């Protein structure tokens, strides 16, 4: 594939919950000022609220798209999730990207909300949530989601794409069947991204649907001891050094890694800083000022 034929990829940065919540404001402001396309916030148990973080980041910025990847559906009722998404969508039209998933099952057990069939819950939740966000009155009685003539008084004024996240084969199929876009919950190699995106896209095609986006994560470091810092970070996220996950080095090295993920099917890549990143705002500025131009 020639450079001219390549599809543009959105470049963002992730606000990782290994950093305290009070670091978010400087990161969000720097990410927007540097020209990055996206800021992604997380909701890992039991660290930070993704919706509170997304609302704050949206309020501190004016242009950048803010994604929440992702909300574990066992933690929230479908109705309150629809209310929260619709409120942010109306306050910040076109700038908020919500994503849902079945959550990490050990965490769901700790919270007392683990269910026997996480995929059934995710399907029922996503289908009902999309209908509510579309302004429909919803009555349904499923295994886990029950609604009786529920309609939002203030639905979004513009369509809100509903992203579905996960990495397991059955979750990827479900994401293709009911999601508008796919968010891969873990940092993966380009080959793994290609396979996962293909699984979800094939499932979408069989369901007569199309996935508009595929989101991937790149753990990255730059500066002194970059490779050692990356190697130390990877085990935290279930990877190991030498497996092709992550990038360490200068702007060209990180841009090449982002492009590899894009060539594998990712339309948006969020760079994930390490837990020991000493200056998140400076790292965001580096990505926007030095890495992003190399992807143009």
């Amino acid at each position: 594939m020639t450079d001219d034929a390549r599809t543009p990829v959105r470049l963002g940065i992730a606000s990782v919950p290994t950093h305290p919540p009070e670091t978010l404001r400087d990161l969000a402001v720097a990410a927007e000022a540097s020209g990055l396309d996206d800021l992604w916030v997380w909701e890992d148990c039991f660290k930070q609220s993704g919706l509170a973080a997304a609302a704050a980041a949206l309020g501190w910025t004016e242009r950048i798209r803010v994604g929440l990847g992702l909300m574990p559906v066992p933690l929230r009722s479908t109705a309150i999730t629809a209310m929260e998404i619709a409120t942010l969508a109306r306050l910040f039209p076109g700038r908020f990207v919500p994503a849902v998933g079945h959550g990490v099952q050990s965490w769901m057990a700790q919270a007392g909300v683990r269910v026997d069939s996480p995929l059934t819950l995710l399907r029922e939740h996503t289908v009902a949530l999309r209908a509510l966000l579309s302004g429909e009155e919803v009555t349904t009685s499923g295994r886990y989601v029950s609604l009786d003539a529920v309609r939002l008084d203030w639905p979004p004024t513009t369509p809100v794409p509903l992203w579905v996240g996960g990495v397991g084969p059955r979750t990827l199929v479900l994401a293709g069947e009911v999601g508008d876009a796919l968010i891969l919950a873990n940092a993966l190699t380009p080959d793994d991204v290609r396979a996962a995106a293909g699984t979800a896209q094939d499932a979408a095609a069989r369901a007569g649907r199309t996935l508009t986006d595929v989101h991937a994560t790149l753990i990255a470091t730059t500066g002194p001891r970059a490779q050692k810092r990356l190697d130390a970070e990877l085990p935290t996220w279930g990877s190991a050094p030498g497996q092709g996950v992550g990038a360490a080095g200068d702007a060209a090295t990180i841009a090449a890694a982002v492009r590899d993920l894009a060539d594998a099917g990712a339309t948006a890549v969020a760079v994930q800083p390490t837990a020991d990143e000493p200056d998140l705002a400076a790292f965001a500025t580096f990505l926007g000022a030095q890495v992003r131009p190399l992807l143009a």
Side-chain angles (χ1 to χ4, degrees):
M1 181 182 295
T2 66
D3 288 345
D4 289 343
R6 285 173 164 171
T7 301
V9 58
R10 298 181 68 96
L11 182 64
I13 189 169
S15 175
V16 189
T18 48
H19 294 269
E22 58 267 25
T23 62
L24 177 59
R25 181 168 189 161
D26 287 347
L27 174 59
V29 171
E32 176 159 273
S34 70
L36 286 173
D37 300 298
D38 299 324
L39 170 68
W40 286 86
V41 297
W42 290 14
E43 190 163 77
D44 276 3
C45 296
F46 296 93
K47 297 178 175 66
Q48 298 178 25
S49 161
L51 276 160
L58 287 162
W60 290 324
T61 56
E62 296 180 355
R63 173 199 57 82
I64 198 168
R65 187 175 74 169
V66 176
L68 201 180
L70 43 79
M71 291 178 280
V73 299
L75 290 175
R76 292 186 182 83
S77 75
T78 307
I80 194 65
T81 304
M83 292 162 59
E84 290 167 332
I85 292 174
T87 299
L88 288 182
R90 290 183 71 107
L91 288 172
F92 306 98
R95 293 183 56 212
F96 178 53
V97 178
V100 295
H102 52 55
V104 177
Q105 295 310 294
S106 60
W107 291 343
M108 299 304 100
Q110 283 182 273
V113 294
R114 183 170 183 170
V115 298
D116 291 334
S117 180
L119 291 180
T120 300
L121 170 56
L122 181 56
R123 180 184 295 276
E124 292 180 357
H125 182 100
T126 305
V127 170
L129 181 58
R130 174 179 287 107
L132 289 170
L133 293 174
S134 298
E136 299 177 24
E137 180 178 286
V138 179
T139 296
T140 183
S141 181
R143 182 174 177 182
Y144 299 111
V145 176
S146 294
L147 299 170
D148 182 11
V150 175
R151 184 197 298 271
L152 295 178
D153 282 8
W154 301 104
T157 54
T158 57
V160 177
L162 191 56
W163 295 42
V164 175
V167 290
R170 292 196 300 160
T171 309
L172 292 171
V173 169
L174 179 61
E177 291 173 345
V178 302
D180 296 312
L182 169 68
I183 180 168
L184 298 170
N186 294 347
L188 303 172
T189 67
D191 286 344
D192 288 339
V193 168
R194 183 176 291 105
T199 296
Q201 294 281 15
D202 289 347
R206 290 193 298 271
R209 307 183 69 256
T210 301
L211 288 179
T212 59
D213 286 285
V214 174
H215 175 281
T217 296
L218 176 71
I219 303 173
T221 58
T222 190
R225 301 179 59 253
Q227 188 63 55
K228 289 185 178 180
R229 291 173 52 220
L230 175 64
D231 291 347
E233 180 82 8
L234 290 174
T236 302
W237 309 104
S239 299
Q243 293 182 339
V245 175
D250 59 10
T253 299
I254 295 175
V258 172
R259 177 52 64 191
D260 286 343
L261 293 173
D263 289 344
T267 60
V269 174
V271 175
Q272 175 182 326
T274 56
D276 67 352
E277 173 55 52
D279 192 332
L280 291 171
F283 187 61
T285 299
F286 160 75
L287 294 174
Q290 298 187 43
V291 176
R292 190 174 182 274
L294 299 178
L295 302 171

